[in-house]
Amino acid sequence: MSKKVKRTIVFELSRLTEEQEIILGYLTYHAGRLWNKANYLVRNKLAKPHKFDLYNKLKDTSIHLRSLQSRSA
């Protein structure tokens, strides 16, 4: 059995304005919640791990999908 490797990139953003911090906080909050919802659907076999299937399942019910710009979502 092979083990999947997960990689994470960590970086620090410095010298951000207050407005940029607010925008990043907003984007990361909604992106994280959208990820959790999509992950739940895939793990419980309620959706296929395909972006179009996930989008169609989430577009009407997820406030987090509607809160993000289309490119971000």
Side-chain angles (χ1 to χ4, degrees):
M1 176 188 258
S2 66
K3 189 173 185 177
K4 290 186 178 183
V5 176
K6 295 182 181 181
R7 297 176 190 246
T8 304
I9 297 174
V10 178
F11 57 94
E12 182 178 338
L13 298 173
S14 57
R15 293 188 224 118
L16 294 176
T17 65
E18 186 177 347
E19 181 183 13
Q20 290 170 329
E21 286 181 8
I22 292 169
I23 291 169
L24 281 175
Y26 175 84
L27 288 173
T28 55
Y29 173 80
H30 286 292
R33 296 302 178 262
L34 184 60
W35 167 262
N36 289 340
K37 182 69 174 172
N39 197 26
Y40 173 82
L41 291 174
V42 171
R43 284 182 180 228
N44 289 301
K45 300 189 186 337
L46 301 172
K48 296 176 186 172
H50 189 269
K51 66 180 178 180
F52 297 116
D53 188 40
L54 285 169
Y55 178 79
N56 288 331
K57 299 270 192 228
L58 294 168
K59 70 179 178 181
D60 296 326
T61 60
S62 177
I63 190 170
H64 304 295
L65 180 67
R66 287 181 276 154
S67 297
L68 292 172
Q69 294 178 1
S70 60
R71 286 189 216 168
S72 302

